[in-house]
């Protein structure tokens, strides 16, 4: 029997407001423990919450970007439970009437597009953080840091539309890209500003009803989420194949062992006793404000990707890579604007078609360089182009290098080496080329001399070639390249060698 997984994800993302959602305390990450607290977020009796308008605006932005309906009225609710990181004994969240619901995003998985429904997006406050022993002098104690208590969150709940761990990861990446594009969340999984719980069940292929789900927690990277889901799918299939039943429970991912372990079953599940928050009025949002917010939305990743394909005639794959962050997309566009390459396409030109003289258009040349060289170097350094300090190659400098290739000053191989050096040292490509004597040998006379010397040194090969062993042509090319330390202009070398051998 073959099985299919059903997955629904619950994502918590921290909103990038300056102050907390119900008080004026700072939300800045990394401050000394318990220095960003006040009577409201410490849950002192007699204090009252005041809703942060910017937090609502950010939540509405996310709703609009994911095609959700923004409800004109929503209700805050108390979710009651006891835990040392929750000073009030309840979390202010939303329950029956969330801020927004019924949206979707489209994701790309292995070249195909798939739509994933979004059930709802609601607002809530974060809890504090517990620090357990180890890093402190007293290893037996736990400490409470309430700086995070009251920081605004949105919870984004997906429909159970996801079928594989790949889809789950693509969905999460797409959500995170949107949040970061909107500048409402920094998307940092390690610092916990983007967290995900995964609901996983399996069913025999063809069965309509869903199986019993387990909820997975404690995964703080895309790789762990993928691993945890895969492990869980296989575990559930095994349980069923062995004649057992999957039980509804919460399971924790153990990243050292790569497995999920039971944390609590449905019977032990919390009863949160939700009820409407009496200290906050129902939240009413008028249409004109939503329209105002809509006008501030930037071009989103999916729109940008489509535009790149249309405007620059690059493959959808390239467009996807280049629009992963706004910074990278802007960098690409800045380079394309400055780079003319070999000029406009000839009549009948088809991108990537061979044998028309010009095989790729300038925007694709730039894309190849960014994807192949720049992103490779950044990856080797563990850097992210979204960090402004990640690298310092100005678009004009980048384009200068490409122009040097087009002009025949350096060949492609040299250009890649120079690029790496520009990346590492921030030096000007022209001075690197001059300083190292890397200028391509495009001087016909000089090249003919190298070819003649090379042929004189290979009399046996030359004789074999003349006797019909034409494969030796590439041997001669290789030898000449070696003699010029890879700096011969390849087109010119090809032409001159042919002429010389035809004599
Ligand atoms: P709960 O009340 O247990 O929190 P919800 O109905 O609120 O469950 O759903 C929580 C998440 O679980 C949603 O993302 C939803 O899509 C997903 N989900 C619901 N049922 C299943 C199932 N049988 N298998 C996998 N995911 C599911
Ligand atoms: Zn406070
Ligand atoms: Mg739920």
């Amino acid at each position: 029997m073959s099985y299919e997984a059903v997955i629904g994800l619950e994502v918590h993302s921290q909103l990038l407001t300056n102050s907390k959602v119900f008080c004026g305390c700072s939300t800045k990450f990394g401050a000394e423990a318990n220095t960003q607290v006040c009577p409201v977020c410490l849950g002192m009796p007699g204090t009252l919450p005041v809703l942060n308008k910017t937090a609502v605006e950010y939540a509405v932005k996310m709703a609009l970007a994911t095609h959700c309906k923004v409800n004109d009225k929503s209700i805050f609710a108390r979710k009651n439970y006891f835990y040392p990181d929750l000073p009030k004994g309840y979390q202010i969240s939303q329950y029956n009437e969330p801020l927004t619901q019924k949206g979707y995003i489209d994701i790309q998985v292995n070249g195909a597009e798939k739509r994933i429904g979004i059930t709802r997006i609601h607002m809530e406050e974060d809890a504090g953080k517990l620090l357990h022993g180890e890093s402190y002098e007293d290893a037996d104690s736990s400490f409470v840091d309430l700086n995070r208590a009251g920081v605004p969150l949105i919870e984004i709940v997906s429909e159970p539309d996801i079928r594989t761990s790949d889809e789950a990861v693509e969905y999460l990446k797409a959500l995170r890209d949107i949040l970061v594009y909107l500048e409402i969340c920094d998307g940092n999984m390690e610092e916990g500003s983007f967290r995900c719980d995964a609901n996983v069940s399996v069913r025999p292929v063809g069965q309509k009803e869903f199986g019993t789900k387990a909820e997975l927690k404690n995964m703080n990277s895309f790789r762990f989420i993928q691993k945890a889901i895969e492990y869980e799918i296989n575990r559930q299939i095994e349980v069923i194949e062995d004649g057992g039943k999957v039980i509804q429970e919460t399971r924790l991912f153990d990243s050292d062992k790569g497995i999920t372990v039971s944390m609590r079953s449905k019977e032990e599940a919390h009863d949160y006793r939700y009820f409407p928050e009496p200290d906050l009025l129902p939240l009413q949002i008028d249409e004109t404000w939503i329209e105002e917010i809509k006008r501030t939305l930037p071009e989103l990743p999916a729109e940008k990707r489509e535009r790149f394909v249309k405007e620059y005639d690059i493959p959808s794959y390239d467009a996807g890579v280049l629009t992963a962050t706004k910074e990278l997309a802007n960098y690409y566009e800045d380079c394309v604007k400055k780079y003319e390459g070999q000029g406009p396409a000839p009549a009948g030109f088809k991108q990537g078609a061979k044998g028309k003289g010009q095989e790729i258009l300038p925007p694709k040349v730039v894309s190849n360089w960014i994807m192949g060289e720049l992103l490779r170097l950044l990856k080797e350094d563990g850097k992210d182009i979204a960090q402004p300090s990640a690298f310092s190659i100005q678009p004009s400098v980048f384009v200068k290098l490409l122009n040097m290739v087009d002009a025949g000053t350096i060949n492609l191989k040299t250009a890649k080496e120079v690029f790496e050096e520009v990346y590492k040292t921030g030096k000007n490509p022209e001075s690197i080329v001059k300083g190292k004597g890397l200028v391509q040998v495009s001087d016909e006379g000089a090249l003919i001399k190298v070819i003649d010397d090379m042929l004189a040194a290979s009399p046996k090969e030359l004789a074999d070639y003349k006797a019909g062993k034409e494969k030796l042509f590439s041997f001669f090319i290789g030898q000449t390249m070696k003699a010029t330390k890879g700096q011969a202009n390849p087109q010119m070398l090809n032409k001159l060698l042919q002429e010389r051998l035809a004599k």
Side-chain angles (χ1 to χ4, degrees):
M1 174 127 54
S2 62
Y3 294 85
E4 160 182 80
V6 172
I7 302 162
L9 301 176
E10 294 166 283
V11 169
H12 285 90
S13 40
Q14 229 178 62
L15 299 178
L16 277 175
T17 55
N18 293 324
S19 56
K20 294 185 181 180
V21 61
F22 299 121
C23 64
C25 291
S26 168
T27 55
K28 216 169 157 87
F29 183 84
E32 194 186 330
N34 300 308
T35 55
Q36 294 168 351
V37 291
C38 74
V40 175
C41 55
L42 289 175
M44 296 295 172
T47 58
L48 289 171
V50 176
L51 181 58
N52 180 334
K53 189 175 177 186
T54 306
V56 180
E57 181 191 326
Y58 286 2
V60 170
K61 278 191 175 184
M62 189 56 182
L64 295 173
T66 54
H67 313 95
C68 282
K69 176 182 180 304
V70 180
N71 295 323
D72 46 20
K73 185 186 134 198
S74 65
I75 306 280
F76 284 99
R78 285 190 185 179
K79 180 179 180 177
N80 299 281
Y81 63 94
F82 173 78
Y83 207 63
D85 65 7
L86 191 73
K88 293 196 292 288
Y90 60 84
Q91 175 193 27
I92 304 180
S93 179
Q94 296 191 302
Y95 190 53
N96 281 336
E97 296 177 66
L99 180 65
T100 123
Q101 62 201 50
K102 293 201 181 83
Y104 64 85
I105 62 168
D106 292 325
I107 59 168
Q108 318 270 331
V109 192
N110 306 321
E113 188 162 275
K114 175 158 179 174
R115 180 160 293 185
I116 308 294
I118 289 175
T119 314
R120 57 190 267 152
I121 301 178
H122 68 250
M123 298 183 69
E124 59 187 31
E125 59 179 336
D126 209 345
K129 213 163 146 183
L130 292 188
L131 307 158
H132 300 290
E134 291 144 51
S135 56
Y136 286 83
E137 284 171 34
D138 184 354
D140 297 329
S141 302
S142 289
F143 297 78
V144 186
D145 176 6
L146 293 172
N147 283 350
R148 206 178 66 182
V151 165
L153 301 178
I154 47 175
E155 178 172 341
I156 306 162
V157 182
S158 88
E159 287 291 295
D161 289 345
I162 298 163
R163 294 289 170 270
T164 64
S165 62
D166 283 347
E167 287 180 12
V169 169
E170 288 311 319
Y171 166 80
L172 290 170
K173 284 187 174 163
L175 266 195
R176 195 178 71 156
D177 288 350
I178 295 171
L179 288 161
V180 174
Y181 260 68
L182 291 171
E183 295 174 11
I184 60 172
C185 172
D186 65 22
N188 190 325
M189 290 177 101
E190 274 153 34
E191 288 176 7
S193 26
F194 184 85
R195 331 193 263 267
C196 166
D197 299 335
N199 298 274
V200 178
S201 65
V202 298
R203 63 180 172 188
V205 170
Q207 178 182 306
K208 262 195 120 167
E209 302 77 43
F210 292 155
T212 305
K213 70 177 156 76
E215 182 173 356
L216 311 182
K217 287 182 179 290
N218 202 32
M219 307 157 294
N220 62 357
S221 72
F222 290 128
R223 198 166 58 86
F224 287 162
I225 290 167
Q226 178 131 33
K227 271 195 157 172
I229 292 176
E230 303 238 303
Y231 176 86
E232 184 60 20
I233 293 172
N234 290 328
R235 186 192 70 84
Q236 292 184 12
I237 292 174
E238 254 172 53
V239 168
I240 297 171
E241 294 268 279
D242 289 348
K245 263 197 170 143
V246 174
I247 59 163
Q248 190 170 334
E249 60 182 347
T250 304
R251 299 179 68 87
L252 288 183
F253 180 63
D254 179 333
S255 59
D256 291 331
K257 300 203 180 94
I259 63 173
T260 65
V261 281
S262 182
M263 181 172 100
R264 58 167 179 256
S265 71
K266 194 183 180 184
E267 285 70 41
E268 307 157 72
H270 298 297
D271 178 353
Y272 294 118
R273 309 270 161 147
Y274 280 99
F275 64 84
E277 165 62 66
D279 291 341
L280 286 165
L281 291 167
L283 175 58
Q284 276 177 297
I285 297 188
D286 70 57
E287 195 58 40
T288 53
W289 193 39
I290 297 177
E291 285 305 316
E292 243 171 70
I293 296 172
K294 206 178 258 172
R295 280 196 293 275
T296 69
L297 290 187
E299 183 180 39
L300 293 167
E303 296 160 5
K304 217 185 255 296
R305 188 186 331 113
E306 254 177 59
R307 178 169 66 79
F308 275 23
V309 169
K310 274 203 204 109
E311 200 168 318
Y312 302 124
D313 193 14
I314 55 175
S316 164
Y317 175 80
D318 294 39
V321 172
L322 296 170
T323 55
T325 67
K326 236 196 280 194
E327 287 76 8
L328 182 60
N330 290 343
Y331 187 77
Y332 172 72
E333 291 207 276
D334 286 346
C335 290
V336 167
K337 275 186 203 121
K338 291 190 161 62
Y339 178 58
E340 291 176 356
Q342 316 265 2
F349 171 85
K350 247 185 111 209
Q351 183 89 271
K354 299 267 174 208
K356 292 221 178 221
Q358 185 182 350
E359 280 146 28
I360 50 178
L361 287 180
K364 175 63 176 151
V365 173
V366 175
S367 164
N368 288 350
W369 271 88
I370 290 185
M371 294 200 308
E373 302 307 308
L374 181 59
L375 293 185
R376 177 179 61 79
L377 292 169
L378 286 170
K379 196 171 167 195
E380 278 172 16
D381 280 358
K383 283 180 178 164
D384 178 350
I385 190 147
Q387 302 168 311
S389 59
F391 70 103
S392 58
I393 306 179
Q394 293 299 319
S396 56
V397 175
F398 193 117
V399 168
K400 204 180 273 176
L401 186 72
L402 303 192
N403 288 337
M404 286 168 86
V405 177
D406 291 338
T409 315
I410 52 176
N411 66 23
L412 205 55
K413 186 169 154 287
T414 307
K416 287 181 179 174
E417 288 162 19
V418 173
F419 184 78
E420 189 159 344
E421 189 150 349
V422 175
Y423 170 87
K424 288 192 171 137
T425 64
K427 279 193 201 149
N428 187 318
E430 278 152 336
S431 58
I432 294 173
V433 167
K434 279 204 193 102
K436 296 201 158 187
L438 290 174
V439 175
Q440 170 165 273
V441 183
S442 293
D443 172 343
E444 280 210 15
L447 204 48
I448 288 173
K449 169 135 187 9
V450 180
I451 291 172
D452 284 343
D453 290 350
M454 181 273 301
L455 290 176
S458 326
K460 188 177 170 309
E461 285 81 3
L462 184 57
D464 287 353
Y465 179 84
K466 297 237 152 147
K469 215 169 161 194
E470 289 185 2
K471 270 200 294 201
L472 283 168
F473 189 79
S474 51
F475 167 80
F476 297 134
I477 293 271
Q479 291 299 104
T480 319
M481 273 295 182
K482 219 177 182 179
T484 60
K485 299 200 188 72
Q487 289 161 37
N489 175 330
Q491 290 82 22
M492 187 178 284
L493 169 58
N494 212 49
K495 175 181 141 262
L496 293 176
L497 184 64
Q498 261 167 12
E499 284 170 10
R500 178 66 185 72
L501 289 171
K503 272 186 198 162

